[in-house]
Amino acid sequence: MINILLFLGSYAGGILYALLASPMVIFALYQAVYFYNPQNRWWGSSVPDLPYSFIVVVVMGVLFIKSFRQFNQNQLLQMPQFRWMYFLLLLYGVASFYAAAPAGHSQALVYYLKLMVIMSVAFKMCESDKDLNIMLYGYIYGAWYISFMAMQKGRNGAGRIEGIGTVDSPDANGLAAAIAPSAVLCLYFFWTASNNKVRFLIAIAGAFIANGIVLINSRGAFLAVALSCGLFMWHMYFSSFQRKFQKAAAIGITLVGLLGAVMIVDRDFIERMHTMTTQSTENVEQETGATRFIFWQSAWDMAKDYPFGKGFQGFNVFAPFYLPEAVDTGDSRNRSVHSTWFETLTEVGYLGLFAFIMMLYACYRTSNITKKALKERADVDNYFKVIALQCALLAFVIAMTFMNRMRAEILYWCILFIACAYNIYVVRYNRMSDKKVGSKS
């Protein structure tokens, strides 16, 4: 019952608030619906059978068109990451002419195009620091809910949580990757919260998310959370840009985090994490996580023969021709490559991989420009917000290295967040400053 009430309350309240008060809330609702995924939940039959995500996108479009002149101030092509995103989409479209699985590629292309349109509209609608925070809170809320549901569901006999994934990440590892970046955002908002009520809610969300990562038992997600949060705390403590009691806060948060980790980790989680260092590629008679290195080598060999890629799941189709016979891949040799980098390489080739890397590099470059501008303005909180966004993207990049997530929603959310920060704190700020100077002269 609580799942139904949470969903219906969030859905109705989100649409109403977006229409009457803050249009950006509609994107936060889009994020929440992504995690709620009512059509595939055990409680889904208890709510009306409606295209909830589609309705949210339609409302988003209506709000965008209604205030088009206002929202059109944000220029998409000024954002280098968006330029590379569109180029990557173009390459994916070109791959339709020679895709190894034409039907699957066409479906993936349509989904990819829809995702790019939604990200573009969301960027256009994000006009202020408040709007950016709404998006980030929306993501944390969705990650909290899926972690709450993971606790409800519990592990199966194999020590994993299954059956609670999202539309584009139905398996446990994909779900863990989807929530991993939210952990560092919880850290940031817990530290900078303006009042104890917000700090308490963020602490609750963060605790559920950390517990969800442990329950799901994903090695890649654990690595992503550990490195991203560790990097943020390192910046917090050692940065020359400090606010009052910052180092003390860093120490306190670290100690509380370690204490919390001790309380939630269990034997199954520790044993699974231990396999990261004990598995070897020397014995390839049985597939393990370590055989992914063999998959990656096979993908590289495939790219030499097909330098422009072979479209959606190109490696899956051609894997039998490139995987060594000694590798036990189970019932089928048409296996996934288990890495976004090699997924991109085998689907859109060398040029596509280059565009993908440049899209991520553009995020790194623009976020550094943003940090520099904020440091010059002595804006400590937003400076560390950008660091948190960098760490969030890093978390997903680490997780996606071990799974196919080239077209993942969360990847493009993280890219969107950084683009919005650059636009708000640099592009729009400079534009407003120029106007003020012009009016004075």
Side-chain angles (χ1 to χ4, degrees), residues 2-16:
I2 189 171
N3 293 286
I4 298 169
L5 293 175
L6 278 171
F7 172 67
L8 293 178
S10 299
Y11 197 81
I15 289 181
L16 191 63

Side-chain angles (χ1 to χ4, degrees), residues 287-318:
E287 186 183 355
T288 68
T291 59
R292 291 177 183 179
F293 291 105
I294 299 173
F295 289 3
W296 299 351
Q297 179 60 55
S298 301
W300 188 256
D301 293 337
M302 176 185 161
K304 295 174 186 176
D305 294 332
Y306 302 99
F308 297 104
K310 291 299 291 181
F312 175 70
Q313 293 191 345
F315 181 80
N316 299 54
V317 174
F318 284 87

Side-chain angles (χ1 to χ4, degrees), residues 135-262:
M135 289 198 292
L136 298 178
Y137 282 131
Y139 174 34
I140 291 172
Y141 175 74
W144 163 79
Y145 173 73
I146 206 76
S147 301
F148 169 69
M149 197 162 61
M151 187 181 70
Q152 288 180 308
K153 184 80 171 177
R155 291 184 182 140
N156 58 21
R160 306 298 300 277
I161 290 182
E162 302 290 350
I164 64 167
T166 60
V167 173
D168 72 329
S169 55
D171 69 320
N173 289 329
L175 177 61
I179 66 175
S182 66
V184 71
L185 298 177
C186 287
L187 273 181
Y188 167 77
F189 281 116
F190 178 81
W191 173 45
T192 60
S194 58
N195 59 70
N196 288 329
K197 180 181 178 181
V198 173
R199 187 171 287 110
F200 174 75
L201 292 174
I202 291 295
I204 295 297
F208 271 93
I209 290 165
N211 188 58
I213 294 292
V214 171
L215 287 173
I216 295 170
N217 251 347
S218 169
R219 292 166 295 191
F222 167 73
L223 230 125
V225 170
L227 292 178
S228 61
C229 290
L231 181 61
F232 181 77
M233 297 309 297
W234 185 88
H235 276 289
M236 213 177 139
Y237 189 84
F238 291 104
S239 174
S240 59
F241 197 34
Q242 298 271 322
R243 74 174 189 172
K244 194 175 182 180
F245 304 126
Q246 183 168 310
K247 288 189 176 182
I251 294 171
I253 292 172
T254 302
L255 292 175
V256 171
L258 291 173
L259 179 62
V262 169

Side-chain angles (χ1 to χ4, degrees), residues 396-432:
F396 196 83
V397 167
I398 292 169
M400 79 179 189
T401 297
F402 306 101
M403 61 191 75
N404 291 13
R405 307 303 297 135
M406 175 190 167
R407 297 171 301 282
E409 286 266 358
I410 305 300
L411 171 63
Y412 291 95
W413 292 6
C414 290
I415 293 171
L416 170 67
F417 298 155
I418 290 176
C420 288
Y422 174 63
N423 186 55
I424 293 164
Y425 301 130
V426 177
V427 177
R428 288 177 67 96
Y429 182 89
N430 290 342
R431 188 187 305 148
M432 292 298 293

Side-chain angles (χ1 to χ4, degrees), residues 92 96 99 101-113 312:
Y92 208 78
S96 302
H105 186 88
S106 296
Q107 186 177 6
L109 178 60
V110 170
Y111 170 80
Y112 200 21
L113 177 61
F312 175 70

